């Protein structure tokens, strides 16, 4: 662990006191984790019970590891998740004290069940404080905590000031919910931070790379599509305040939030085409991002998937014109798809079979491909064509000519790496020639990029780089390989589509070869997996320069201590070199039958490849190249442990620049050079600059708010509680005060419902919330009243899936008064009606809102497809005993529940859990909701047998691995067959 | 607004007295029409009932939309002026009809308390509440009730007969963040659902459009066990009663050192328990 910088120390001095509760807002990249870990280390002791909440799983592990490195190890940070033990075990763990990271929903349940001794908690550390809102679980936890414990501390942290935006005084709201009164704001422009970081600066070289012409075309076309979509959205009937939202803004994912925020109050009333527009914006934004990071083939196949997904219509979605993406019909979209294809290959007109160029468009693709496959099936070797000095490979269908454009940043990266190499040599020679002490740090070159996918891509590119070609074609070998596997996929897909049309008949000769290739492909995958075997979570990838293969970052931090002299590297280098060049050459030269064989042998060489991990650290660091994805605060540790002198930022990232600043300052004397790559005039550049601006603005806003903030006075809940006691006394005739305290109104709440906000509000309205895993219903209010809560989105989807019918069936069987609670959301409209779509807008635009119209326009009353209303009608007709509660907001629901509980008996939790779960031996155990949902959607699985399956099979993967008889053994002959067929449809026999 | 007031006044007058000659009350006939109580004469929602016939008839409810289904209608605006009206109507309704509906027209903005109160009243009187937000919608409801009188509930039941593509789509999109483009991508690259289930996270994350979160969601759905015992409440509740006094006891925290070692073995440690390589031992 590196030293703390002066501003870290002063922050710690401000907030370490366990008697105070604080909120710390720190700029991203300035080392929030360092501060949190230091604090945790201070508090670590078996006498203390410190809970870390609201951290993601990755963060929990990372914090644990970092604490381990800092020497806080036995027992260090323990993580409580869904897989850890029973509540009894947890109780012991809590009582043992120390540092414990808990998942929010488990902590709430534990607090409600008194599993965690709330009064003994020393303090709570809240990560991601920006997410806290009155309805957030953290607020619920804070309330429970402060009810019984006023002496403990609560420290909240956030490094995302941009997200503190809700309401008029967002920071105050957060502080109110967390019941704390002290806040510290440390932006990058804080004087102390500035003084520290700007004393020593890293040497930054900024490189702006232009896009290629094709990419520029696509970029422009996507932007055009976005503009079209935006203007369509403006024209839609919905009143949107999009004036400030022009194009640059739409580059950000925050744009979605803004649009959604404006649409949310009426989201369920918005028609499908408006929804499609909003969705399209997201798709386009992602597309423009992918353009810059994916290789051309991958981009092309993504485009294809988009088109395919848009053309296969869902029979359920009603009229096919609804929900279609409008931008796909524009000329610009055509440019996108054409250019995406052009970047990969062009249809080559050197053969009389090939089609004239003007006919190439998306529909013709299929025919063209059919022709290709015919050609490919033929055993005769196509003539070798030589074009632009390139040897034409046999396996390339002869009516396409591979273009395989490369991303311009790739060549730039190679040039940079060469420059770095020269620099290293120069430095070494000056050191040897003169008696200068070697500066600290290692010569390991660090390349940072945005995602693990890019890591893999760069890794592939660099390890198969072909220097003999002209610049811009260095990655030809990799691209050819990718093209080849892509062609195979295409062919495979074709046969998969054709197979069912042949009424179960096996296409002659096709499948076996396909299957072999399929296996071959997986072998290939396994191979590349082996290459990046270790440290998957951290997404670290290792790569080599053409001379050497380097080790991974697995043992980062240990590198410097491992002895360097060893004869092994030379050997493995040579082998590796051979292996890679040979493999690639062969792969491209072989024909199909041999390909399979070749790939199978690759699997055996796989073990050899993994040996690189064993040799890790034996290579001199100057020859190691590390490619990693940006990964939040973990990067700090990585920098500290590798101590690189050369860093290449493949994509711009504001936080990482700061991390480098911090790194530079905490390692005085270490020369650091940063290459910062960005595509000129692209959305990447815009995004980077606007991101910086946004952060600065939000900090300024926060500082302003703090200046004028009226500090919230935390009210004492006890006063309110005593009222409650009096109420209980007056309404009940009972003995001692103690007795009365023990009998507040209680509601049994299903465990899964803790995702929603209602339990928190029920607790706030003085109901005792008892968590339980229920089979029937979500809330049990009285022994007779059982409530199934549906938010609007849920309501629609569970009507469609038929789930609601089954739930109502179950409730009717087990309870006298089954209740369906339809819950609208607080800030959303309390209405069902659909705002009609754009089409009718032109005619009736003056008459908005539609409610005032005496007759209404035809679109609005086109009830031809079953409406949500008619489904409700059908439900009430089927279940006359079913009551419906219409609640405008969760707050109102809490009031209604209180009403319903008056003068009624209290429900019995043990009975409630057992209800409906007679056949389920594990009633009451927690459920993996996502898996259950997925399982339910399989054919052959109904609401009645789903519990049975879940008790028999461990997880879905296990179900997939069973053979037909096993599945039938669980589900019965007919449904078992249906389920098995569904799971395995599309596999080669 | 004016329309509504005249209607309400006429309604109350006809309810209270029969000075005017009562409209000819028809005895419920064919059964294909909605039978409307004469009290509802002039109510604007009558015009919004489409696709079904209407006839006036002498009934206790406001609308009889089926042999056993009776509907009371209440506009919240009217309810605000005459809060007792609905109670008398419910009282008159007695125990008639199997399915008893209170159709509420939500035409005021301060609806929260009114709806809350009506919900409670209806729950005690075995009446199902349906809230509508416009006269058109109310009329639509009434029409649908009549039309669907004998309709089997197949439309809202779980269905099985669907084609493979849409089934696969519903299955996979039930996982959070997976959209239909992703379904297509998954299908193209893995072929079958079973193969998707077996896919390695790395394979998934190499697909276009798949980020870390999406991959994790997919893996969670496929590979995490259905059951976890972290939140097994039943066991705790049953055992918890006997030991209730012990939970608040503070002794455990202080002598926690030994306690901890025993319990620790039951937990998945957050990281490898014994690192092979120890920093502090290194010179």
């Amino acid at each position: 662990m590196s030293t703390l910088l002066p501003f870290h120390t002063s922050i710690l001095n401000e907030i370490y006191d366990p008697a105070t509760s604080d909120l710390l807002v720190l700029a991203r990249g300035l080392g929030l984790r360092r501060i949190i870990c230091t604090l945790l280390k201070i508090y670590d002791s078996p006498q203390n019970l410190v809970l870390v909440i609201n951290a993601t799983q990755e963060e929990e592990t990372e914090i644990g590891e970092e604490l381990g490195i800092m020497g806080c190890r036995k027992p260090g940070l323990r993580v409580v998740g869904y897989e850890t033990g029973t509540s009894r075990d947890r109780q012991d763990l809590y009582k043992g004290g120390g540092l414990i990271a808990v998942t929010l929903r488990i902590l709430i349940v534990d607090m409600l069940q008194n599993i965690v001794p709330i009064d003994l908690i020393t303090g709570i550390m809240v990560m991601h404080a920006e997410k806290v809102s009155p309805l957030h679980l953290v607020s619920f936890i804070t309330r429970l905590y402060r009810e019984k414990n006023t002496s403990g501390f609560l420290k909240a942290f956030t490094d995302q000031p941009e997200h503190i935006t809700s309401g008029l005084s967002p920071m105050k709201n957060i502080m109110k919910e967390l019941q704390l009164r002290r806040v510290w704001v440390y932006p990058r422009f804080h004087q102390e931070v500035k003084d520290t970081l700007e004393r020593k600066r890293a040497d930054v070289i900024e490189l702006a790379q232009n896009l290629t012409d094709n990419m520029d075309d696509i970029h422009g076309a996507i932007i055009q599509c976005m503009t079209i979509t935006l203007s369509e959205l403006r024209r839609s009937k919905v009143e949107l305040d999009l004036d400030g939202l022009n194009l640059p803004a739409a580059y950000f994912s925050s744009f979605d939030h803004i649009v959604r925020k404006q649409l949310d109050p009426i989201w369920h009333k918005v028609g499908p085409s408006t929804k499609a527009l909003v969705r399209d914006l997201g798709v386009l934004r992602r597309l423009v991002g992918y353009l810059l990071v994916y290789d051309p083939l991958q981009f092309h196949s993504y485009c294809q998937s988009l088109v395919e997904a848009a053309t296969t219509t869902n029979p359920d979605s009603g009229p096919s014109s609804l929900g279609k993406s409008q931008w796909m019909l524009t000329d610009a979209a055509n440019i996108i798809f054409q250019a995406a294809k052009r970047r990969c290959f062009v249809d080559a007109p050197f053969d009389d079979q090939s089609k004239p160029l003007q006919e190439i468009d998306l529909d013709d693709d299929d025919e063209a491909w059919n022709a290709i496959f015919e050609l490919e099936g033929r055993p005769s070797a196509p003539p070798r064509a030589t074009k632009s000095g390139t040897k034409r490979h046999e396996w390339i269908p002869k009516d396409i000519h591979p273009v395989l454009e490369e991303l311009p940043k790739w060549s730039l990266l190679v040039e940079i790496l060469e420059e770095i190499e020269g620099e290293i040599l120069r430095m070494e020679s000056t050191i040897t020639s003169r008696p200068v002490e070697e500066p600290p740090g290692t010569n390991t070159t660090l390349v940072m990029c945005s995602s693990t996918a890019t890591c893999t891509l760069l890794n592939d590119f660099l390890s198969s780089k072909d220097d003999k070609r002209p610049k811009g074609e260095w990655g030809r070998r990799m691209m050819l390989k990718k093209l080849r596997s892509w062609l195979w996929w295409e062919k495979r897909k074709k046969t998969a589509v054709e197979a069912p049309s042949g009424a179960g008949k096996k296409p002659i000769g096709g499948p076996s070869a396909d299957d072999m290739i399929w296996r071959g492909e997986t072998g290939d995958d396994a191979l590349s997996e082996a290459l990046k075997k270790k440290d998957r979570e951290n997404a670290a990838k290792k790569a080599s320069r053409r001379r050497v293969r380097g080790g991974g970052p697995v043992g980062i931090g240990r590198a410097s201590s491992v002895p360097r002299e060893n004869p092994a590297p030379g050997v493995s280098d040579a082998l590796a070199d051979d292996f890679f060049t040979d493999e690639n050459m062969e792969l491209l030269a072989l024909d199909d039958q041999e390909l399979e064989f070749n790939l199978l042998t690759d699997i055996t060489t796989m073990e050899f490849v993994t040996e690189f991990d064993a040799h890790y650290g034996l290579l001199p660091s100057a020859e190691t190249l590390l490619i990693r994805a940006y990964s939040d605060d973990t990067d700090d540790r990585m920098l500290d442990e590798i101590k690189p002198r050369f860093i290449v930022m493949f994509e711009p990232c504001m936080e990482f620049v700061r991390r480098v600043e911090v790194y530079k300052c905490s390692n005085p004397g270490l020369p650091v050079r940063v290459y910062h790559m960005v595509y000129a005039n692209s959305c990447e550049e815009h995004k980077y600059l606007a991101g910086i601006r946004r952060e600065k603005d939000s900090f300024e806003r926060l500082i302003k708010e703090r200046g004028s903030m009226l500090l919230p006075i935390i009210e004492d809940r006890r006063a309110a509680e005593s009222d409650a006691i009096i109420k209980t006394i007056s309404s009940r005739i009972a003995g001692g005060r103690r007795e009365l305290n023990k009998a507040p109104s209680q509601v049994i709440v299903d465990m899964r419902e803790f995702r929603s906000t209602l339990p928190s509000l029920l607790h706030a309205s003085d109901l005792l919330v008892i968590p339980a895993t229920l089979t029937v219903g979500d809330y049990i209010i009285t022994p007779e009243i059982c409530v199934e809560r549906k938010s609007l989105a849920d309501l629609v989807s569970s009507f469609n899936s038929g789930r609601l019918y089954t739930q109502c069936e179950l409730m009717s069987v087990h309870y006298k008064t089954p209740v369906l609670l339809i819950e609208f959301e607080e800030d959303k409209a309390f209405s069902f009606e659909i705002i009609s779509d754009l089409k009718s807008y032109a005619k009736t635009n003056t008459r908005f809102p539609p409610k005032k119209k005496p007759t209404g326009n035809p679109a609005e009353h086109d009830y031809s497809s079953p409406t949500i209303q008619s489904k409700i009608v059908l439900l009430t007709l089927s279940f006359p005993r079913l009551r419906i509660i219409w609640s405008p907001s969760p707050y109102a629901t809490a009031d209604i529940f209180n009403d319903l509980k008056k003068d009624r008996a209290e429900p019995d939790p043990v009975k409630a859990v057992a209800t409906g779960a007679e056949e389920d031996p594990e009633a009451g155990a927690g459920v993996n909701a996502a898996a259950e949902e997925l399982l339910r959607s399989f054919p052959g699985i109904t609401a009645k047998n789903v519990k049975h399956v879940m008790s028999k099979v461990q997880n879905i993967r296990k179900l997939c691995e069973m053979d037909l008889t096993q599945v039938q053994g669980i589900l019965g002959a007919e449904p078992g067959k249906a389920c098995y067929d569904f799971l395995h449809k599309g596999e080669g026999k | 607004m004016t329309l509504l007031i005249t209607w309400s006044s006429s309604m109350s007058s006809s309810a209270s007295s029969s000075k005017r000659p009562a409209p000819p009350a028809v005895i419920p006939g064919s059964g294909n029409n909605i039978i409307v109580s004469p009290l509802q004469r002039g109510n604007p929602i009558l015009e919004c009932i489409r696709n079904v016939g209407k006839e006036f008839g002498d009934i206790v409810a406001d609308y009889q939309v089926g042999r056993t289904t009776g509907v009371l209608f209440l506009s919240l605006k009217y309810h605000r002026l005459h809060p007792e009206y609905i109670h008398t109507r419910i009282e008159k309704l007695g125990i008639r009809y199997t399915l008893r509906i209170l159709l509420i027209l939500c035409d005021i903005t301060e609806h929260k308390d009114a709806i809350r109160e009506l919900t409670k009243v209806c729950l005690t009187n075995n009446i199902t509440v349906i809230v509508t937000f416009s006269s058109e919608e109310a009329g639509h409801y009434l029409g649908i009730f009549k039309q669907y009188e004998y309709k089997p509930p197949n439309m809202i039941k779980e269905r099985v007969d669907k084609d493979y593509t849409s089934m696969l789509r519903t299955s996979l999109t039930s996982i959070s963040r997976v959209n239909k483009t992703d379904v297509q991508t998954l299908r193209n690259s893995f072929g079958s659902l079973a193969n998707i289930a077996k896919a390695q996270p790395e394979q998934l994350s190499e697909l276009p459009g798949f980020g870390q979160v999406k991959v994790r969601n997919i893996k969670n759905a496929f590979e995490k066990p259905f059951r976890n015992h972290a939140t097994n409440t039943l066991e705790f509740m049953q055992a918890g009663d006997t030991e209730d006094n012990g939970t608040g006891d503070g002794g455990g925290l202080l002598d926690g050192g030994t306690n901890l070692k025993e319990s620790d073995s039951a937990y998945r440690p957050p990281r490898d328990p014994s690192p092979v390589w120890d920093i502090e031992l290194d010179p």
Side-chain angles (χ1 to χ4, degrees), chain A residues 130 161-171 174 261 698 701:
Chain A
E130 77 277 357
E162 295 96 329
H163 293 254
I164 308 182
T165 47
S166 64
L168 270 179
S169 46
M171 192 154 68
I174 290 177
K261 215 170 189 170
S698 50
R701 213 180 47 236

Side-chain angles (χ1 to χ4, degrees), chain A residues 29-185:
Chain A
L30 291 187
L32 184 63
R33 179 158 309 151
R34 203 174 288 194
I35 290 171
I36 291 170
C37 288
T38 319
L39 269 185
L40 283 172
K41 197 188 169 193
I42 294 172
Y43 299 138
D44 180 35
S45 137
Q47 272 77 42
N48 288 337
L49 173 57
V50 178
L51 301 176
V52 178
I53 59 171
N54 209 18
T56 63
Q57 267 179 9
E58 290 81 17
E59 282 170 339
E60 284 169 354
T61 343
E62 290 294 335
I63 292 175
E65 278 175 22
E66 193 138 350
L67 280 170
I69 293 171
M70 290 166 77
C72 165
R73 205 166 310 182
K74 283 169 185 152
L77 182 80
R78 267 85 31 90
V79 178
V80 175
Y82 291 101
E83 283 79 28
T84 21
T86 63
S87 39
R88 178 72 56 203
D89 297 333
R90 280 206 304 280
Q91 192 169 20
D92 293 339
L93 180 71
Y94 291 133
K95 285 191 176 171
L99 309 175
I100 299 173
V102 206
T103 312
L104 286 181
R105 270 159 66 202
I106 292 187
L107 182 62
I108 284 210
V109 170
D110 286 353
M111 282 177 136
L112 288 169
Q113 292 180 329
N114 274 326
I115 292 172
V116 50
I118 298 178
D119 46 336
L120 296 177
I121 296 176
T122 319
I124 295 183
M125 310 267 279
V126 182
M127 311 290 127
H128 294 292
E130 77 277 357
K131 289 188 185 145
V132 174
S133 70
L135 296 177
H136 196 264
L137 284 180
V138 168
S139 316
F140 191 11
I141 288 176
T142 315
R143 242 182 303 126
L144 288 168
Y145 175 53
R146 286 302 178 202
E147 251 172 35
K148 290 195 183 158
N149 185 336
T150 45
S151 58
F153 66 79
L154 189 146
K155 314 267 181 203
F157 305 90
T158 176
D159 56 359
Q160 298 196 306
E162 295 96 329
H163 293 254
I164 308 182
T165 47
S166 64
L168 270 179
S169 46
M171 192 154 68
K172 193 178 119 190
N173 290 344
I174 290 177
M175 291 170 69
K176 198 175 122 208
E177 287 314 315
L178 294 171
Q179 308 197 4
L180 43 81
R181 303 185 45 140
R182 281 152 49 104
V183 60
W184 309 97
V185 182

Side-chain angles (χ1 to χ4, degrees), chain B residues 19-265:
Chain B
K19 251 186 266 173
R20 280 181 291 162
V26 186
I27 302 301
S30 62
N32 291 329
N33 293 339
I34 293 181
I35 301 160
V36 184
S37 158
L39 294 175
Q40 290 294 315
R41 218 178 274 273
N43 187 340
I45 75 166
L46 280 177
E47 287 175 21
C48 305
I49 303 177
R50 295 194 180 81
N51 305 330
V52 276
K54 290 162 284 197
E55 58 184 79
F56 285 98
D58 204 4
I59 49 168
V60 192
D62 287 333
Y63 301 90
Q64 182 170 319
V65 290
R67 212 169 277 278
T68 56
T69 311
V71 178
L72 287 177
F73 175 82
L74 181 68
S75 142
L76 283 185
K77 218 177 249 175
Y78 183 75
H79 181 68
R80 197 162 54 178
L81 295 171
H82 306 276
E84 74 299 329
Y85 161 77
I86 192 66
H87 294 281
T88 58
R89 291 304 306 274
I90 292 175
E91 206 174 310
K92 263 192 215 157
L93 194 65
I95 53 159
R96 269 167 280 239
Y97 300 108
T98 346
L99 175 57
R100 301 134 61 93
I101 305 280
L102 176 65
L103 192 63
I104 297 177
L105 176 62
C106 180
D107 48 6
I108 55 175
T109 44
E110 292 303 311
H111 45 67
K112 194 178 151 185
D113 287 329
I115 288 185
R116 177 180 155 194
E117 178 213 327
L118 288 168
T119 304
K120 196 186 170 196
V121 169
C122 290
L123 208 74
T124 34
N125 289 296
N126 297 329
I127 295 173
T128 305
V129 179
I130 285 181
V131 179
T132 68
F133 305 92
S134 67
S135 323
E136 285 89 7
E137 200 190 352
H140 176 57
Y141 266 118
L142 289 173
I144 293 272
F145 263 115
K146 187 68 199 172
Q147 283 172 326
Y148 283 7
E149 190 181 352
Y150 301 110
K151 196 179 169 88
N154 293 338
M155 193 170 78
I156 53 170
K157 267 190 179 168
E158 292 193 44
R159 276 156 295 174
V160 278
D161 50 342
K162 275 198 257 171
D163 66 306
Y164 176 72
T165 316
S166 58
M167 266 195 307
L168 188 72
R169 189 174 277 182
T170 8
S171 283
L172 290 173
T173 47
S174 77
I175 303 171
S176 140
R177 280 182 182 243
V178 176
N179 58 35
K180 54 181 184 174
T181 313
D182 300 330
V183 175
Q184 200 68 38
T185 315
L186 282 172
R187 193 184 171 186
N188 287 347
S189 32
F190 292 103
S192 77
L193 200 82
N195 284 336
I196 299 172
K198 283 175 215 152
Q200 293 298 315
E202 286 76 19
Q203 276 172 292
L204 288 176
S205 60
E206 273 174 32
L207 298 176
F210 282 69
Q212 279 163 356
V213 183
K214 200 179 282 179
V215 171
R216 196 173 57 225
N217 283 348
I218 294 174
K219 283 336 272 176
N220 278 354
F222 277 108
E223 289 183 0
K224 283 261 176 82
F226 289 121
R227 299 292 199 180
N228 60 60
H229 295 270
T231 50
N232 194 339
T233 43
L234 196 55
E235 173 199 328
F236 188 79
M237 279 186 294
Q238 280 158 346
D241 297 338
T242 55
E243 251 195 277
D244 211 21
N245 302 330
T247 46
D249 201 345
L253 199 61
L254 297 172
D255 55 24
T258 53
N259 201 350
L260 189 75
K261 266 167 205 157
E262 291 161 14
S263 61
D264 208 19
S265 61

